[in-house]
Amino acid sequence: MPIIHPLSYRLDLPQHFPQAAPLVLDSPHSGTSYPPDFAPSVDFGALRTAEDTWVDDLWGDAIGLGVPLIAASFPRAYIDANRSAEEVDPLLLDAPWDGPMSDSPKVKLGKGLIWRMLDDGTPLYDRKLSAAEVRHRIDACWKPYHAKLAEVLDQTHAHFGKVWHINCHSMPSVAGAFATDRPGLVHPDFVLGDRDGSTSDPAFREFIAKWLRERGYNVTVNDPYKGVELVRAFGNPAQGRHSLQIEINRKLYMDEVSLRPNEGYAKLKSDLRDLTAALIDWTRAQTA
Ligand SMILES: [Zn+2]
């Protein structure tokens, strides 16, 4: 039975927990439950382009293989689980923020904890948000997600002495005008990010890159995406905590306008199942 937090996440634990291998997956951007208090000013279709639609399902076979998977239920456009709670954008607020704030490049792009604009530059709101609204999104969605992911990683680490964490994402086939600092960039099939080796032993990404390349995928490492807040927060290779971000090109599995699965969906899902099985063996061997 999944553990469901009504506003924040769904956690699928395998039948036996602690699980058979020190591997944990999280999908922070695949949530599609749009809260009624959101009130953005853009149409729903445009809003949904912020999602990593289907990513939790694409990796979902991991659960049956014995790997925990936590997925956010709230949408990324409402509050971004892959940001620090301090990345509050002052331009969105109707009054000064009373908590700590960090002036990150993501906030400057309009893509802080709560986004000011979509990837194409469309403003998300025609109003300012109140501090109470922002606080509610942090408390109801962001905090429970981070706390539960931390708990599962800690329990796994306590049992095995090490843990490998995959932070699962997807990316458009071409970067939007305001999505990153490299607009218009054509993306490869997969981008693996461990913040230049600081959130994971490079052996983890190298095993995955080699495995994917042998299946015919093109893979880049830490370029153009190095990984953001979740791998930064939870990766600590010196303590045996390895966190890696995996970005999958959306054209491999869905129509990027309708968001419907395409003819490649089943093949990709099957490959991710095989990759997960290979990682179960690999992570177990690292702790043997
Ligand atoms: Zn994502």
Side-chain angles (χ1 to χ4, degrees), residues 99-150:
M101 294 173 87
S102 74
D103 189 22
S104 76
K106 296 289 186 187
V107 174
K108 288 197 184 73
L109 274 170
K111 308 304 245 335
L113 177 67
I114 295 179
W115 287 14
R116 184 158 41 82
M117 58 171 83
L118 293 172
D119 279 356
D120 65 358
T122 308
L124 268 161
Y125 304 95
D126 56 8
R127 63 192 175 93
K128 299 282 188 185
L129 305 188
S130 70
E133 270 184 290
V134 174
R135 184 66 64 199
H136 168 72
R137 296 183 193 192
I138 294 171
D139 291 345
C141 302
W142 189 99
K143 278 186 181 170
Y145 186 83
H146 277 246
K148 184 53 83 173
L149 175 58

Side-chain angles (χ1 to χ4, degrees), residues 29-266:
H29 292 156
S30 51
T32 58
S33 298
Y34 283 79
D37 58 272
F38 190 175
S41 62
V42 296
D43 73 78
F44 192 54
L47 199 58
R48 291 203 64 194
T49 61
E51 296 171 9
D52 291 345
T53 322
W54 303 112
V55 165
D56 53 342
D57 182 70
L58 285 166
W59 287 97
D61 287 339
I63 303 153
L65 295 172
V67 175
L69 169 63
I70 179 169
S73 45
F74 56 92
R76 181 193 201 177
Y78 183 66
I79 183 167
D80 192 337
N82 201 22
R83 297 289 183 268
S84 137
E86 297 184 2
E87 289 178 285
V88 174
D89 188 335
L91 295 177
L92 268 179
L93 291 168
D94 68 1
W97 183 244
D98 60 4
M101 294 173 87
S102 74
D103 189 22
S104 76
K106 296 289 186 187
V107 174
K108 288 197 184 73
L109 274 170
K111 308 304 245 335
L113 177 67
I114 295 179
W115 287 14
R116 184 158 41 82
M117 58 171 83
L118 293 172
D119 279 356
D120 65 358
T122 308
L124 268 161
Y125 304 95
D126 56 8
R127 63 192 175 93
K128 299 282 188 185
L129 305 188
S130 70
E133 270 184 290
V134 174
R135 184 66 64 199
H136 168 72
R137 296 183 193 192
I138 294 171
D139 291 345
C141 302
W142 189 99
K143 278 186 181 170
Y145 186 83
H146 277 246
K148 184 53 83 173
L149 175 58
E151 184 186 315
V152 175
L153 291 170
D154 284 350
Q155 287 171 329
T156 305
H157 186 267
H159 186 71
F160 292 95
K162 295 179 183 175
V163 62
W164 282 265
H165 161 222
I166 298 178
N167 180 229
C168 307
H169 295 265
S170 70
M171 58 191 166
S173 54
V174 177
F178 295 89
T180 67
D181 50 7
R182 289 161 71 185
L185 188 73
V186 175
H187 290 141
D189 294 330
F190 285 85
V191 180
L192 311 183
D194 60 9
R195 299 182 68 86
D196 298 321
S198 65
T199 66
S200 167
D201 182 328
F204 189 28
R205 72 177 196 227
E206 271 148 30
F207 177 83
I208 294 172
K210 181 169 181 287
W211 193 97
L212 289 168
R213 286 172 183 144
E214 284 170 2
R215 297 282 170 124
Y217 293 107
N218 61 66
V219 182
T220 61
V221 173
N222 290 312
D223 177 33
Y225 303 117
K226 294 178 188 296
V228 192
E229 176 62 15
L230 285 157
V231 297
R232 190 203 63 75
F234 294 112
N236 188 338
Q239 292 181 3
R241 294 170 178 268
H242 305 282
S243 287
L244 178 72
Q245 172 175 283
I246 299 186
E247 294 270 7
I248 304 174
N249 193 315
R250 291 176 193 161
K251 75 175 183 196
L252 293 175
Y253 70 90
M254 74 174 182
D255 180 298
E256 293 180 75
V257 176
S258 72
L259 311 185
R260 290 197 190 93
N262 66 18
E263 62 290 345
Y265 196 95

